[in-house]
Amino acid sequence: MSTPYPFTAVVGQDDLRLALLLNAVSPRVGGVLVRGEKGTAKSTAVRALAALMPETEVVPGCRFSCDPAAPDPSCPDGPHESRPGVRRPTALVELPVGASEDRLVGALDIERALAEGVKAFEPGLLADAHRGILYVDEVNLLNDHLVDLLLDAAAMGASYVEREGVSVRHAARFLLVGTMNPEEGELRPQLLDRFGLTVEVKASREPDQRVEVVRRRLAYDDAPEEFAARWAGEEAAVRQRIVEARELLPSVRLGDAALRQIAATCAAFEVDGMRADIVMARTATALAAWAGRTDVLAEDVRQAALLALPHRRRRNPFDAPGLDEDRLDETLEQFGGQDGDGAGDDDGDGDGDGPGPGGGPGGRPEPDGGPPGDGDAAARPGADGAGEPQAGPGGGAGEQVPARASEPFRTKVLSVPGVGEGAAGRRSRARTERGRTTGAHRPRGALTKLHLAATVRAAAPHQRVRGRSGPGLVVRRDDLRQAVREGHESNLVLFVVDASGSMAARQRMSAVKGAVLSLLLDAYRRRDKVGLVTFRGTAAEVALPPTSSVDVAAVRLESLPTGGRTPLAAGLLRAHDVLRVERLRDPARRPLVVVVTDGRATGGPEPVALAGRAARLLAAEGTACVVVDCEAGPVRLGLAGQLADELGGTAVTPAELRADSIAGVVRDVQGAGTRRAA
């Protein structure tokens, strides 16, 4: 087993280390979501925490890590006899992004349950993580239904597995840690709210601190055991401090003054629901215990707010998490006050032992790594300063400064025809593990979703031959039928946007950007990947390769310059190249191409004919396409409609995209896509 990097050797990242340690002291805080760019010690700190945690005492032979002092009465391996437990290191369980539902929650053997009446259960990762740490790297890329199961188990402290009336329950209390790179896509606000604390991390811009990071990492890589031995004393001190804080935690008093500050802060920042108040209260209590105090002070409430509220302030999908610290200080001062016995002291100076912004978890000050969450999140479209006139490269004649997007609106559903088998989502029809049952077939591997009626129909004709004598049905493996279920998948929505001079009138381009931004919002809600191809001047470019980060696409759209000729063929051919590469990377994900143009084509010899050939190339491959017709003015040439015919798709106007429009609802992109599905 490799030697883990010492937790106390992590340079800077004070908020990250503090949030992890508070959850180690009080797992009821609700876990940590760590957001940050790549290479910022997110995974290193999480894995190092496991080695720092005190050992866990478990019932010998129990697959669910029951506590011998208080075993779970409903443990599937129970009931447990009273006997001494065994001690083992705290478990660190990692959940892969591509894990199945059965791998996460466990699997019931339906075949044995029906044929033998035996409730056979194979534990999943939630059982392995009980009383340990469950780590999900790239949690934003995890399927939504798995995230829901994960967070439900974390909130209830138990996991329930049900298959066709057969159910198993076991305890599942763990420290949940998720890490993510916002550039690869955001979590839904509802899922963000389920994490107790969120920390923004970034690489330090201080040369001295970066030098120290490199020096320590090189020393660790050269001699891991020797490096860990040098930090053994620091590790032992922090481990002991965790134990002492856990013992002190039940004695910590949360006074009325601190409670008023917590409630006032959540109200002032208009946080939805009551989860934020509860998490802040638990975090402030853990902070006091970590500092060795039995009273919660104003400084604890402030630090708890900085960790528990920023991600709950996110209203719009393109908003970056954040918290106005000046407003926070004003609220805490306004609702200061003291309890009669001195609890809830508001002077803010404390006793010097608390983990302030500059204090490391072992009590040693670390080099200043900069304010938490500062600067690496892209501003949302439409924020102050976004899209202001700027001189772009090559600006001048034929090029205009970027126009702001108009107010986005809710769009109607654009979907790919036929039934796919892509990743779970909310756009197009697909055969999925979840959804309504549409049929049954013989299982091709392990049975996961039993179709009970089909199984009974398959077994019924053979009962006399099998010697059935009682009321029960004699079922054999050949009788079992797997349910076929239909739900919805996510797609690759590739936007091909005309940024030429024919679209460059600012008011018109503002409306075009508003329509695309509205479609991006729809793609966010439906869990799609998105890409952005633009064409103007003499060529087309991939402004954003296909990604799950819809908000990055919105930022690129906002800064899109316009002007020049209209190389429509180049835009369509570039889209064809992007799709060719994506089919190799992710063949199950079906594409939907959205061409935003007025249909004009200029530049080079026979531009209209070239555009037609490029469109027919996409149609020949069965690519589902829709053209957003942006033609304006009293004289309409209908070129966008002709382009849609060449693509084998549908043309709609921005007005027809609106969900509240009286125009016909756009449900499927007809044409070539339908022929392919058939």
Side-chain angles (χ1 to χ4, degrees), residues 173-367:
R173 292 183 295 276
F174 46 81
L175 194 167
L176 174 63
V177 183
T179 57
M180 59 174 283
N181 184 347
E183 293 179 357
E184 297 173 341
E186 287 283 0
L187 275 173
R188 287 181 291 158
Q190 299 92 323
L191 299 181
L192 280 173
D193 183 59
R194 299 297 294 272
F195 281 94
L197 309 179
T198 295
V199 178
E200 296 277 346
V201 297
K202 65 173 183 176
S204 172
R205 300 299 184 259
E206 293 291 333
D208 291 343
Q209 194 170 37
R210 296 176 74 96
V211 166
E212 186 63 21
V213 170
V214 175
R215 181 182 292 119
R216 293 186 187 183
R217 187 70 210 192
L218 292 178
Y220 170 77
D221 291 341
D222 290 341
E225 294 82 4
E226 180 182 338
F227 183 83
R230 293 207 306 265
W231 289 86
E234 297 281 351
E235 295 282 285
V238 176
R239 187 179 296 110
Q240 180 60 32
R241 189 172 174 185
I242 292 174
V243 173
E244 293 172 355
R246 285 180 173 181
E247 295 173 350
L248 182 62
L249 186 65
S251 303
V252 175
R253 178 176 178 271
L254 183 65
D256 289 342
L259 275 174
R260 281 195 300 271
Q261 287 183 317
I262 289 170
T265 300
C266 293
F269 285 98
E270 300 179 354
V271 177
D272 294 334
M274 296 298 298
R275 183 176 286 117
D277 303 63
I278 296 171
V279 171
M280 273 191 65
R282 289 172 174 167
T283 304
T285 303
L287 280 163
W290 178 248
R293 291 185 268 100
T294 56
D295 287 323
V296 174
L297 305 181
E299 65 194 61
D300 300 322
V301 176
R302 186 183 192 279
Q303 185 66 55
L306 292 174
L307 294 172
L309 294 189
H311 59 298
R312 295 183 166 90
R313 290 280 298 148
R314 191 165 176 249
R315 303 286 182 175
N316 187 287
F318 298 148
D319 288 344
L323 201 67
D324 185 340
E325 294 194 34
D326 291 337
R327 185 179 179 188
L328 171 61
D329 291 335
E330 291 174 2
T331 303
L332 293 176
E333 182 178 356
Q334 179 182 356
F335 291 88
Q338 294 188 5
D339 292 329
D341 59 358
D345 180 18
D346 298 306
D347 59 9
D349 44 0
D351 60 3
D353 294 330
R364 301 190 312 167
E366 294 286 356

Side-chain angles (χ1 to χ4, degrees), residues 224-578:
E225 294 82 4
E226 180 182 338
F227 183 83
R230 293 207 306 265
W231 289 86
E234 297 281 351
E235 295 282 285
V238 176
R239 187 179 296 110
Q240 180 60 32
R241 189 172 174 185
I242 292 174
V243 173
E244 293 172 355
R246 285 180 173 181
E247 295 173 350
L248 182 62
L249 186 65
S251 303
V252 175
R253 178 176 178 271
L254 183 65
D256 289 342
L259 275 174
R260 281 195 300 271
Q261 287 183 317
I262 289 170
T265 300
C266 293
F269 285 98
E270 300 179 354
V271 177
D272 294 334
M274 296 298 298
R275 183 176 286 117
D277 303 63
I278 296 171
V279 171
M280 273 191 65
R282 289 172 174 167
T283 304
T285 303
L287 280 163
W290 178 248
R293 291 185 268 100
T294 56
D295 287 323
V296 174
L297 305 181
E299 65 194 61
D300 300 322
V301 176
R302 186 183 192 279
Q303 185 66 55
L306 292 174
L307 294 172
L309 294 189
H311 59 298
R312 295 183 166 90
R313 290 280 298 148
R314 191 165 176 249
R315 303 286 182 175
N316 187 287
F318 298 148
D319 288 344
L323 201 67
D324 185 340
E325 294 194 34
D326 291 337
R327 185 179 179 188
L328 171 61
D329 291 335
E330 291 174 2
T331 303
L332 293 176
E333 182 178 356
Q334 179 182 356
F335 291 88
Q338 294 188 5
D339 292 329
D341 59 358
D345 180 18
D346 298 306
D347 59 9
D349 44 0
D351 60 3
D353 294 330
R364 301 190 312 167
E366 294 286 356
D368 183 17
D374 179 37
D376 68 331
R380 67 176 179 85
D384 291 342
E388 288 296 335
Q390 300 173 7
E399 179 173 306
Q400 297 186 11
V401 292
R404 286 179 178 271
S406 62
E407 190 69 22
F409 52 85
R410 192 171 186 86
T411 66
K412 293 175 180 175
V413 181
L414 301 175
S415 62
V416 179
V419 181
E421 295 182 343
R426 299 180 179 179
R427 183 171 296 278
S428 304
R429 294 171 55 203
R431 287 178 287 273
T432 61
E433 289 295 316
R434 303 166 69 87
R436 64 186 182 91
T437 301
T438 59
H441 62 73
R442 292 179 183 272
R444 300 184 180 92
L447 181 69
T448 57
K449 303 290 182 182
L450 177 73
H451 194 299
L452 186 58
T455 299
V456 171
R457 285 197 300 269
H462 309 292
Q463 297 306 295
R464 181 175 298 178
V465 175
R466 294 174 183 173
R468 172 186 170 186
S469 58
L473 195 66
V474 180
V475 179
R476 296 180 180 172
R477 176 164 180 77
D478 289 343
D479 303 324
L480 299 177
R481 296 294 182 268
Q482 175 83 20
V484 177
R485 300 190 174 184
E486 183 177 302
H488 289 85
E489 66 177 359
S490 62
N491 298 106
L492 166 60
V493 182
L494 181 62
F495 293 92
V496 183
V497 180
D498 184 347
S500 66
S502 67
M503 301 279 286
R506 291 187 63 80
Q507 184 175 0
R508 185 175 173 196
M509 197 61 199
S510 176
V512 169
K513 287 186 175 182
V516 178
L517 182 60
S518 302
L519 290 168
L520 283 170
L521 282 165
D522 183 66
Y524 171 85
R525 298 185 183 103
R526 301 188 187 281
R527 309 294 172 262
D528 295 316
K529 289 180 69 174
V530 297
L532 179 62
V533 172
T534 64
F535 57 94
R536 58 185 290 270
T538 60
E541 66 172 346
V542 180
L544 180 70
T547 175
S548 298
S549 185
V550 178
D551 51 339
V552 173
V555 172
R556 301 286 173 87
L557 173 73
E558 190 72 18
S559 60
L560 178 66
T562 58
R565 296 179 180 273
T566 312
L568 176 57
L572 297 176
L573 290 173
R574 183 56 63 92
H576 177 268
D577 291 342
V578 171

